[in-house]
Amino acid sequence: MTKSAWTDDRVGRLKTLWLEGRTADQIARELQNGISRSAVLGKVHRLGLSAGRPGRPPAASGPVAPRARVERPVAKPVERATAGGASVPAERAPDLLTGGLTILTVRRGQCRWPYGDPADAGFSLCGRPVARGAFCVAHAEVGYRTPPGGALSLLSLAGLA
């Protein structure tokens, strides 16, 4: 069995330095010999010293106020170029008439395009048969696009091509 680096002297010195308000990094440097900042923090936690410390306000307890909800603007359809160079507006695929699937009910081979905000109760996934990647035909057209100027390779981005 290996000998612990935490001798009674070191534990006593740790308590003293911690209560003086020193940081875990400062204490680790002072104790030296294999005592890291993480080791100091772990020992402080195990000794129960992390609950209170002089000069610091006590942690707030009780119910936490809910965060204000931020309303996000609805994304407008993006135009995509056709082979002839003309722009065609990308239309959002129509929602399912029967409602969407949840992350727990969607199966392999079903479209995973999200509908709505994941934080809302009405959030769902498309569920149509997959055509490319994880999406149905309509959503794959929106989700997978070739960058302007053609396909880029990692070699061309690195300047090696």
Side-chain angles (χ1 to χ4, degrees):
M1 188 161 136
T2 61
K3 191 174 179 182
S4 173
W6 288 107
T7 63
D8 290 338
D9 276 348
R10 281 189 170 172
V11 172
R13 187 78 181 126
L14 166 71
K15 288 178 181 178
T16 304
L17 295 171
W18 185 259
L19 294 175
E20 285 177 4
R22 302 269 185 98
T23 66
D25 190 43
Q26 292 169 335
I27 296 170
R29 276 190 259 130
E30 187 159 326
L31 294 178
Q32 300 175 348
N33 298 332
I35 302 293
S36 66
R37 175 183 170 275
S38 294
V40 169
L41 290 172
K43 193 66 169 178
V44 164
H45 178 71
R46 288 188 300 278
L47 292 171
L49 299 174
S50 58
R53 193 166 174 182
R56 290 212 172 170
S61 61
V64 177
R67 293 173 61 184
R69 183 158 179 85
V70 177
E71 293 296 325
R72 296 184 186 124
V74 176
K76 295 180 182 177
V78 179
E79 291 188 0
R80 55 188 161 89
T82 61
S87 294
V88 178
E91 296 180 18
R92 186 171 181 255
D95 292 336
L96 289 176
L97 297 175
T98 59
L101 301 172
T102 68
I103 193 70
L104 299 174
T105 59
V106 70
R107 300 282 180 230
R108 173 179 273 181
Q110 291 181 312
C111 181
R112 285 167 166 67
W113 189 268
Y115 287 128
D117 185 351
D120 290 341
F123 177 74
S124 64
L125 302 173
C126 174
R128 291 188 192 95
V130 167
R132 181 173 167 209
F135 304 124
C136 63
V137 173
H139 290 130
E141 286 180 10
V142 177
Y144 300 117
R145 296 193 178 174
T146 304
L152 296 176
S153 69
L154 291 176
L155 294 175
S156 67
L157 289 175
L160 301 173

